[in-house]
Structures are given as C-alpha cells and as structure tokens.
Amino acid sequence: MTATRSEYCVIACAEAWRDAGEVLASPMGLIPSVGARLARLTFSPDLLLTDGEALLVRPDGTPEGWLPYRQHLALVTGGRRHVMMGASQIDRYGNQNISCIGDWARPKRQLLGVRGAPVNTLNNPTSYWVPRHSRRVFVEKVDMVCGVGYDHAAGARFHRIPRVVSDLGVFDFDTPDRSMRLASLHPGVTVEQVREATGFDLAIPDEVPYTREPTPGELELIREVLDPAGARAREVGS
C-alpha cells in the first residue's frame, strides 16, 4: 500500500508521542488527533487521551476515566502533558503566534488570541502542526509571541519543543543555538522546496532522511479505524 502525503503527516505527528509513557496527549487539529490515537494503539499504549472536557477516552472516543479540572491543571503545569498546537506564525527559535498579524496595537488581522499558548509552552512539551508550509507561517520573527520559543524560555523547567510537523517535513531544534533544523523530508519533497517555503535560514544537515513510511498495520488503522472517511486528505493534499 502506497502512503499519501497526509498519511506521512499522521505518522510524523504520532512519532511526537513515541514511548511517552503515561502523559496526557492534547492534539489540536485532525491530523494530530489521528496521530495521537495511532500512537496509543501502537507504540505508546500508556498515552492518555481526553475529550477536551472532563473525560479520559479510548482511541474510539469511549470513556475510560474521569479527568477533573484540578487534575488536568496539575498535568498541564507539571510537565505531564504534550500538546500539539497550530501556528499562524512560527520563527527559527520556535516562538509561535496565533494572536494577530501586524503591530499588536493596530493589527492587520485579528486571530484567535493568545489563549493558553504561554502556559502550554512554559509548563509542558509543545509541538506544532502546520498543514500549509509557507513563508507566511515560517517567518523570521513572529509579530507577537504567544507560544514561547527557546530564546525566551530561560528558567522554564518543562519547556521543550520536540518537533514541528508540516506538509513538507519534520523539524526540530537539535542545534547548538536551539534554532530550527530540518529533521526529515516527506517523500517527494526536496530540500530546495523547504528552503523556498521558509522565511529564515534553516539548519540543514548534509544528509536529510525521509520521514519514515507507515507500516501496513498503521495504514490499516488510519484508513479503516481512525479516519475511514478520509478527512485527512482535506487537510493535506496527496
């Protein structure tokens, strides 16, 4: 079975929770949600999933426990949650913006607002999912810091950005100055494509691997159990 680009993105998101143990996964968006549930069904069986309100749930959405708000906050502020958020802008050090485009006093575009991004990024690991990789998103400097990057996180005990996944590849911050690095390319994507779509100079290794291929069992779970309607293809083209 040949995997589509969207299925490589699901795998790349799922890998963010590999061997995570009993950690609360908080994926935001369709593909991260499919990825988290796939991780729970395969290589991270102790992963905790939530309905976003008051319950712990199984990958099929059926309840398996109660998660009162006080306990949820304890997980959030104690480094025991790994959230995967979106980003309207993200820069070389992992600063994320979901609030506004332009000067915050007179923005050109008003977006979601800061919301929980500072708490997320300073208190538990935070990864990002960007379905359309472009220079409008991957910018030299974000217009407003909502999610905190490595250059603003001094003293934050649980701050960590494990990965950024886009429709072109996977990125991390495994560099001496904690700037963004190209970790893998999705099949069919070139290094030059990534460079052209990024508004800052990425760290690029001499040898860039491809994002790992889904196993037949993982593809079966994605296509027949987790997303049989194929909604993932609407978020990322084939």
Side-chain angles (χ1 to χ4, degrees):
M1 292 186 287
T2 302
T4 65
R5 179 72 60 82
S6 65
E7 289 160 348
Y8 277 100
C9 291
V10 168
I11 289 296
C13 289
E15 286 289 344
W17 289 285
R18 178 174 284 277
D19 301 326
E22 196 173 89
V23 169
L24 181 66
S26 292
M28 301 180 187
L30 173 68
I31 283 180
S33 295
V34 176
R37 289 184 289 149
L38 179 67
R40 165 71 182 267
L41 287 171
T42 54
F43 46 72
S44 294
D46 296 325
L47 198 65
L48 302 177
L49 304 174
T50 175
D51 67 349
E53 295 185 8
L55 295 175
L56 293 172
V57 297
R58 298 182 178 89
D60 64 1
T62 58
E64 67 174 0
W66 182 45
L67 185 64
Y69 196 60
R70 177 181 295 179
Q71 184 59 37
H72 186 274
L73 288 179
L75 294 172
V76 169
T77 58
R80 294 188 58 207
R81 179 176 73 154
H82 183 169
V83 60
M84 182 171 283
M85 300 178 66
S88 300
Q89 293 179 327
I90 190 167
D91 67 23
R92 68 174 70 237
Y93 295 109
N95 295 293
Q96 170 245 36
N97 176 24
I98 53 172
S99 184
C100 64
I101 302 299
D103 184 347
W104 70 270
R106 294 183 65 85
K108 298 175 184 177
R109 294 286 186 274
Q110 181 66 51
L111 306 175
L112 288 172
V114 175
R115 300 177 73 86
V119 172
N120 289 343
T121 51
L122 289 174
N123 290 286
N124 48 242
T126 303
S127 293
Y128 294 102
W129 159 240
V130 179
R132 295 290 186 270
H133 191 127
S134 74
R135 286 175 174 263
R136 294 178 63 182
V137 180
F138 287 76
V139 296
E140 180 67 35
K141 184 178 180 180
V142 296
D143 291 336
M144 180 175 181
V145 175
C146 300
V148 179
Y150 280 102
D151 58 339
H152 289 102
R157 182 179 177 188
F158 297 115
H159 176 273
R160 186 165 63 91
I161 308 174
R163 61 177 46 200
V164 177
V165 180
S166 83
D167 60 327
L168 298 184
V170 180
F171 308 82
D172 62 23
F173 299 86
D174 190 15
T175 56
D177 65 348
R178 290 298 205 174
S179 61
M180 193 182 294
R181 180 186 77 133
L182 176 59
S184 74
L185 292 165
H186 301 326
V189 179
T190 67
V191 170
E192 191 55 39
Q193 280 179 277
V194 174
R195 279 200 180 104
E196 290 178 358
T198 304
F200 53 86
D201 290 334
L202 277 166
I204 299 179
D206 293 336
E207 299 282 338
V208 182
Y210 285 113
T211 304
R212 80 164 179 88
E213 186 175 1
T215 67
E218 288 169 336
L219 278 179
E220 184 176 356
L221 285 171
I222 293 169
R223 295 175 180 181
E224 298 183 18
V225 178
L226 299 174
D227 184 27
R232 60 194 177 277
R234 294 195 293 271
E235 195 161 271
V236 175
S238 60

